[in-house]
């Protein structure tokens, strides 16, 4: 069986999007599927039309040129046009059985255009609603024209493709709520490569000394500093925690739009010396920082994006047998079972966050049980081999209809 994957970007990038892409391609190959891969003009840096990346062949789409490609909004249709043309060329060359387009919606639109003349079935994979992410990043307004157009286009794709996959229950509920038949939508959840995440080892003593954490209980967050992650709330909760647990310190690893605001807010709250901002660290060194943390805290705020979408970082922490405390937004509730694999607290409430942390610190005799339960959950339900195997029945069903 030959599958043509339509993507925005190639795979050696360290982001949630490309980690999932890499895992899908590797596991589908392990299942005996023959995969081909095409990227849109949004992929920058390729100067050839066909490129080998980590053992996978990628068909590149040339950067769009001309008057329309330089205009806002119209340049997006230019991307669809150039990608559809490139998909058509690639279909003629590799003769796939199925086109598998990955969000954003422009990829789905281009795949549908080719499907009209090639008679190939199309699977569309929705990993997030990009209009909601744009609202949080400040590039679109909720309910504005761009928001409504993006949502309408994606609904158009959902209606016309042969099958839809998505990453979690929250996104599936929204898709079905648009009138898409439930049996058409399959959840392929985010997962981890369990072999890449061994159980966390002892903290590096030299690094602990360098960070000034020798006598400390360490709370941690590793990821991107976006507003929806709720790190401002974490700082406010930390001030309350320190009133009863003065030995606690907070380790923040990463960066993003809120980094400077967070540093300023930490000073305003009198937390200088209690919060360590490490910035971004090389990917091959990240394990050393995971090992420094006693409790990971994920205080995501409640909004449409976080209620619908499951994050990847808490899953990675659970895979390492780490302790996890998180807000009770919908995306976290799909990953963390309160009182079994971690602890949940009321989203947006710094006092609830502080109480959850203090309660966990007061019950250290239970930590071993939580670590084992979290790791077992990942091994049982959230490995890439388990997750990606769900594509095969979808593909088989579509091919049997085409015979």
């Amino acid at each position: 069986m030959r599958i043509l994957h339509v993507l925005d970007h190639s795979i050696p990038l360290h982001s949630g999007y490309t980690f999932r892409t890499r895992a899908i391609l590797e596991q589908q190959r392990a299942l005996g599927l023959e995969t081909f891969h095409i990227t849109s003009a949004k992929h920058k840096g390729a100067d050839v039309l066909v490129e080998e990346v980590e053992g996978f062949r990628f068909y590149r789409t040339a950067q769009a040129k001309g008057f329309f490609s330089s205009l806002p909004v119209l340049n997006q249709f230019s991307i669809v046009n150039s990608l559809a043309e490139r998909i058509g060329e690639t279909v003629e060359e590799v003769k796939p059985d199925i086109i598998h387009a990955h969000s954003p919606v422009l990829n789905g639109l281009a795949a549908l255009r080719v499907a009209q003349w090639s008679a190939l079935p199309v699977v569309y994979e929705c990993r997030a609603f990009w209009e909601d992410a744009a609202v949080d990043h400040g590039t679109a307004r909720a309910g504005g024209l761009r928001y409504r157009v993006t949502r309408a286009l994606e609904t158009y794709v959902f209606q016309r493709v042969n099958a839809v996959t998505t990453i979690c229950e929250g996104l599936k509920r929204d898709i079905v709520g648009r009138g898409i038949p439930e049996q058409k939508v399959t959840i392929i959840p985010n997962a981890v490569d369990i072999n890449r995440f061994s159980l966390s080892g002892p903290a590096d003593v030299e690094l602990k000394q360098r960070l000034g954490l020798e006598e400390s209980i360490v709370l941690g967050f590793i990821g991107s500093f976006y507003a929806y992650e709720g790190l401002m709330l974490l700082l406010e909760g930390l001030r309350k925690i320190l009133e009863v647990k003065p030995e606690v310190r907070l380790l923040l690893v990463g960066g993003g739009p809120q980094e400077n605001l967070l540093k300023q807010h930490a000073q305003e709250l009198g937390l200088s010396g209690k919060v360590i901002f490490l910035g971004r660290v090389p990917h091959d060194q990240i394990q050393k920082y995971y090992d420094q943390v006693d409790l990971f805290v994920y205080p995501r705020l409640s909004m449409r994006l976080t209620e619908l979408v499951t994050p990847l970082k808490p899953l990675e922490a659970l895979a390492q047998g780490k302790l996890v405390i998180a807000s009770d937004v919908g995306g976290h509730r799909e990953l963390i079972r309160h009182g079994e694999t971690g602890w949940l607290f009321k989203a947006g409430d710094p006092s609830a966050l502080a109480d959850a942390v203090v309660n966990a610190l007061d019950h250290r005799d239970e930590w071993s049980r939580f670590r084992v339960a979290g790791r077992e959950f990942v091994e049982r339900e959230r490995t890439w081999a388990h997750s990606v195997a769900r594509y095969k029945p979808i593909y088989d069903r579509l091919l049997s209809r085409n015979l």
Side-chain angles (χ1 to χ4, degrees):
M1 189 185 302
R2 295 184 160 203
I3 313 299
L4 176 59
H5 288 276
V6 183
L7 306 155
D8 258 7
H9 301 289
S10 193
I11 59 176
L13 308 174
H14 294 304
S15 72
Y17 184 94
T18 52
F19 276 142
R20 180 179 172 93
T21 300
R22 185 202 311 267
I24 290 170
L25 301 187
E26 289 175 346
Q27 290 298 324
Q28 288 195 349
R29 176 180 283 181
L31 289 170
L33 301 175
E34 195 173 359
T35 61
F36 303 87
H37 327 94
I38 182 168
T39 54
S40 77
K42 287 192 172 185
H43 178 81
K44 308 296 184 184
D47 55 4
V48 292
L49 289 179
V50 181
E51 185 177 18
E52 297 290 330
V53 181
E54 299 185 9
F56 296 96
R57 174 168 291 186
F58 281 83
Y59 292 82
R60 305 300 189 192
T61 303
Q63 298 298 305
K65 297 178 181 179
F67 178 70
F68 291 111
S69 65
S70 63
L71 297 177
V73 181
L74 291 179
N75 62 352
Q76 303 302 301
F77 290 100
S78 177
I79 287 173
V80 173
N81 290 337
S82 62
L83 179 57
E85 183 178 345
R86 187 63 173 139
I87 295 172
E89 294 170 352
T90 308
V91 164
E92 289 290 329
E93 179 178 339
V94 306
K95 296 180 170 46
D97 298 298
I98 291 170
I99 300 176
H100 183 148
H102 301 247
S103 57
V105 68
L106 303 184
N107 295 340
L109 290 169
L112 277 175
R113 189 178 298 179
V114 175
Q116 289 176 346
W117 61 262
S118 66
L120 289 173
V122 176
V123 176
Y124 178 61
E125 176 162 324
C126 176
R127 303 183 182 187
F129 296 138
W130 295 85
E131 65 273 19
D132 293 325
V135 168
D136 186 75
H137 297 160
T139 58
R141 179 173 58 85
L145 179 61
R146 180 179 175 185
Y147 184 98
R148 287 183 283 117
V149 167
T150 303
R151 184 174 174 82
L153 287 173
E154 194 143 50
T155 301
Y156 173 90
V157 171
F158 291 148
Q159 292 169 337
R160 286 160 179 78
V161 295
N162 302 89
V164 177
T165 68
T166 191
I167 67 171
C168 60
E169 288 286 352
L171 291 175
K172 179 177 179 177
R173 283 195 302 271
D174 189 280
I175 294 167
V176 172
R178 304 185 195 195
I180 308 303
E182 185 170 1
Q183 63 270 23
K184 187 178 180 178
V185 186
T186 303
I187 295 174
I188 312 287
N190 269 335
V192 297
D193 180 353
I194 202 69
N195 297 317
R196 194 168 69 86
F197 290 101
S198 57
L199 290 172
S200 187
D204 183 288
V205 175
E206 182 181 339
L207 178 58
K208 183 177 283 290
Q209 291 174 341
R210 194 161 73 244
L211 296 174
L213 299 173
E214 301 99 310
E215 307 297 326
S216 302
I217 296 170
V218 183
L219 308 181
F221 176 91
I222 298 177
S224 298
F225 299 171
Y226 291 115
Y228 61 76
E229 295 292 3
L231 297 180
M232 291 288 193
L233 183 116
L234 177 53
L235 295 178
E236 293 164 15
L238 176 62
R239 187 169 63 168
K240 297 177 182 295
I241 293 165
L242 289 168
E243 293 174 3
V244 292
K245 302 288 184 181
E247 71 275 25
V248 167
R249 298 293 182 268
L250 175 60
L251 186 65
L252 295 178
V253 182
Q258 288 225 310
E259 184 171 358
N260 291 333
L261 289 174
L262 287 166
K263 290 178 179 178
Q264 180 182 336
H265 196 47
Q267 276 194 324
E268 292 169 350
L269 293 174
L271 297 176
S272 297
K274 312 295 184 182
V275 183
I276 298 97
F277 289 89
L278 278 179
R280 302 185 189 277
V281 301
H283 188 71
D284 60 358
Q285 297 179 27
I286 199 70
Q287 185 61 54
K288 294 195 299 184
Y289 296 95
Y290 268 102
D291 292 343
Q292 295 294 326
V293 177
D294 296 300
L295 288 165
F296 277 94
V297 185
Y298 300 98
R300 283 192 160 192
L301 304 178
S302 178
M303 58 185 62
R304 181 173 161 79
L305 177 70
T306 59
E307 292 292 345
L308 293 179
V309 180
T310 53
L312 194 56
K313 292 300 181 184
L315 203 56
E316 293 178 348
L318 291 173
Q320 297 174 69
K322 303 300 291 188
L323 299 166
V324 172
I325 295 176
S327 61
D328 63 352
V329 297
H332 285 153
R333 292 198 305 272
E334 289 193 42
L335 298 178
I336 299 160
R337 295 165 186 168
H338 180 67
E340 180 182 342
T341 60
W343 298 268
L344 297 171
F345 64 89
K346 183 180 178 182
D349 186 339
S351 295
L353 184 158
D355 290 345
V357 170
V358 171
N359 178 66
L361 295 178
D362 285 341
H363 294 85
R364 296 197 200 189
D365 57 318
E366 298 183 355
W367 284 11
S368 178
R369 174 174 65 85
F370 277 85
R371 289 190 178 106
V372 170
R375 172 74 178 193
E376 287 181 346
F377 162 73
V378 176
E379 290 178 340
R380 185 175 60 252
E381 300 182 30
R382 291 303 182 102
T383 65
W384 281 121
H386 180 272
S387 190
V388 173
R390 299 186 185 192
Y391 287 113
K392 188 66 164 51
I394 301 171
Y395 294 160
D396 288 341
R397 185 171 70 250
L398 295 181
L399 281 187
S400 67
R401 289 178 186 173
N402 269 22
L403 293 177

